[in-house]
Amino acid sequence: MNDTIYVGLDVHKATVAVTVAEGMRGGEVRQLGSVRHTPEQIAKLAEKLAKGGRRLSFCYEAGPCGYGLHRQLTDLGHDCIVVAPSLIPMKVGDRVKTDRRDAVMLAKLHRSGDLTAVWVPDSAHEAVRDLIRARATAVRVLGKARQHLQGFLLRHGRVYAGKRGWTLAYRRWLTTVRFDHPAQQVVLQDYIHAVTDAEARVERLTRQIEDLLPHWSMAPVVEAVQAMRGVAFIVAVTVVAEVGDFSRFDNPRQLMAYLGLVPSEHSSGATVRRGGITKAGNALARRALIEGAWTYRMQARVSRKLHDRLENLPQAIRDIAWKAQVRLCARFRRLAATGKARVVVTTAIAREMAGFLWAIARQVQVAPAA
């Protein structure tokens, strides 16, 4: 224990503030200043600290600099954890924040074991996750582009008489809209082009995901979780990419908490107060599950599309998916009958969906990463 050095790193784009804490409790804590954030300087720092055969254990906060530093340090043979910033213990009255103080705090907390590490994906998993997040960004941009166009039309009294927008009939109606001033006609056409470009971008990224999926180590898990109703291709790849290794959760409740789908609570003594969901953890996966939960408002059945997804899956996974569908459809109707708001009901269904997804993913043997 005494020959271990705990190193706290406050990482920025150009510099890294370094603090070391000796292994024994109450041991010396030394600030080493800052080094340039380059692979060469980090390697020199690790070599210098490891003299004498001492064991190094690094830590730094998860942030915009990513996992490159973690991968470099682990490749050099040292321990390194990436810390969840929101779970770092903080002193309430502390109003001074500097890079050096942050590094000292990380080193001390790492030595005492009070830091919570995040799961670090391998480079291939991170690449696929970046692609899926890029598609999610493109979908948000598409929604904004459509909103801008419809807002412009509404502002000038051009209202579509049909029931649904963005159908073929709606797009044909857009070609009939005319304005007296040429500037407004130019604005209309520009908004239409923005929507068209955004739709093409979403479609392009979707095809890329479909093409790269067979080469991904998590492809068997993606195929297996599609046995669930409401978990089609996009929802499946999103949840699997964001959650990663399902086996790191010992039980489904941990996965539900990770996704922020459990109720918040503020209780003291005999007083128990529960509020809305915590919304902690991964927002993208949580949103995908809540969207999929809406499909359980209908009666339990195996549609043609779901049948095609189930066709090549093992019977154990089919049984879990059917059990989930029967339970969740009945639960949706039961909760809705009590008068609860639909958004509350779908959130409750999404929480249980996470549990069944955990059970299915644990049935799948993940292929080794290439």
Side-chain angles (χ1 to χ4, degrees):
M1 186 70 175
N2 293 346
D3 59 352
T4 300
I5 295 180
Y6 296 90
V7 186
L9 305 175
D10 191 58
V11 181
H12 296 277
K13 178 176 66 174
T15 61
V16 178
V18 184
T19 296
V20 298
E22 297 294 338
M24 73 280 294
R25 184 177 180 85
E28 181 185 7
V29 178
R30 291 178 288 122
Q31 299 180 12
L32 301 184
S34 298
V35 299
R36 286 187 292 115
H37 189 180
T38 62
E40 296 77 17
Q41 292 297 319
I42 296 299
K44 288 181 180 179
L45 173 67
E47 182 181 1
K48 176 182 176 181
L49 294 177
K51 285 183 178 178
R54 292 183 296 184
R55 178 173 173 267
L56 303 181
S57 184
F58 292 87
C59 72
Y60 68 95
E61 294 182 49
C65 293
Y67 304 116
L69 181 57
H70 174 276
R71 295 192 180 106
Q72 180 186 359
L73 292 172
T74 52
D75 288 344
L76 291 173
H78 305 299
D79 292 335
C80 182
I81 64 171
V82 183
V83 181
S86 60
L87 300 179
I88 296 176
M90 303 291 290
K91 293 181 180 179
V92 177
D94 194 355
R95 293 292 183 270
V96 179
K97 182 186 185 303
T98 64
D99 294 348
R100 290 191 173 189
R101 287 171 67 97
D102 288 347
V104 170
M105 175 189 63
L106 287 173
K108 289 181 177 179
L109 292 175
H110 187 29
R111 181 175 62 185
S112 62
D114 292 328
L115 296 176
T116 302
V118 302
W119 177 73
V120 178
D122 58 38
S123 57
H125 189 110
E126 186 179 17
V128 175
R129 190 174 67 180
D130 287 340
L131 179 60
I132 293 168
R133 288 180 177 179
R135 184 193 177 278
T137 301
V139 170
R140 289 195 296 271
V141 171
L142 172 60
K144 280 292 184 182
R146 289 177 172 178
Q147 185 181 18
H148 292 160
L149 173 57
Q150 291 177 320
F152 172 73
L153 293 172
L154 180 61
R155 195 162 62 246
H156 295 284
R158 270 61 168 187
V159 179
Y160 178 59
K163 294 183 179 180
R164 295 180 57 192
W166 304 111
T167 60
L168 181 59
Y170 179 82
R171 296 173 191 275
R172 287 174 176 170
W173 172 79
L174 285 177
T175 63
T176 66
V177 177
R178 295 290 183 270
F179 289 94
D180 295 333
H181 200 287
Q184 292 175 325
Q185 198 68 38
V186 169
V187 172
L188 171 64
Q189 200 60 45
D190 186 73
Y191 279 143
I192 293 175
H193 287 162
V195 172
T196 304
D197 293 343
E199 289 173 339
R201 180 187 176 194
V202 172
E203 181 63 27
R204 185 169 60 249
L205 290 171
T206 302
R207 288 197 303 269
Q208 290 294 330
I209 295 172
E210 293 173 348
D211 293 341
L212 292 174
L213 179 65
H215 309 289
W216 187 25
S217 63
M218 300 294 287
V221 182
V222 173
E223 294 178 3
V225 297
Q226 289 185 69
M228 289 279 293
R229 182 177 184 171
V231 185
F233 176 73
I234 292 299
V235 175
V237 295
T238 300
V239 173
V240 173
E242 297 298 335
V243 173
D245 184 10
F246 282 82
S247 63
R248 62 194 175 104
F249 301 101
D250 295 330
N251 55 69
R253 290 187 183 89
Q254 292 181 359
L255 176 58
M256 297 173 190
Y258 170 78
L259 295 173
L261 289 169
V262 297
S264 59
E265 182 173 347
H266 186 81
S267 301
S268 179
T271 303
V272 178
R273 296 194 183 105
R274 291 190 177 90
I277 59 173
T278 62
K279 294 186 179 180
N282 196 282
L284 183 57
R286 179 173 63 251
R287 184 167 60 249
L289 284 178
I290 291 177
E291 289 177 358
W294 281 100
T295 62
Y296 289 93
R297 67 188 185 277
M298 306 296 184
Q299 63 181 354
R301 60 183 289 268
V302 177
S303 64
R304 176 58 186 269
K305 290 183 179 179
L306 183 57
H307 178 271
D308 292 341
R309 302 204 302 260
L310 290 168
E311 196 168 7
N312 297 321
L313 295 177
Q315 187 62 41
I317 294 176
R318 295 187 188 186
D319 293 342
I320 295 173
W322 179 245
K323 178 182 177 181
Q325 187 172 169
V326 172
R327 172 181 170 81
L328 297 182
C329 288
R331 183 167 172 77
F332 196 107
R333 293 194 301 270
R334 187 166 60 251
L335 291 175
T338 62
K340 292 186 178 296
R342 282 298 180 95
V343 65
V344 175
V345 176
T346 52
T347 303
I349 298 302
R351 178 167 55 248
E352 292 204 27
M353 283 177 65
F356 285 105
L357 290 175
W358 176 87
I360 291 175
R362 294 293 289 263
Q363 296 283 330
V364 181
Q365 181 67 38
V366 180

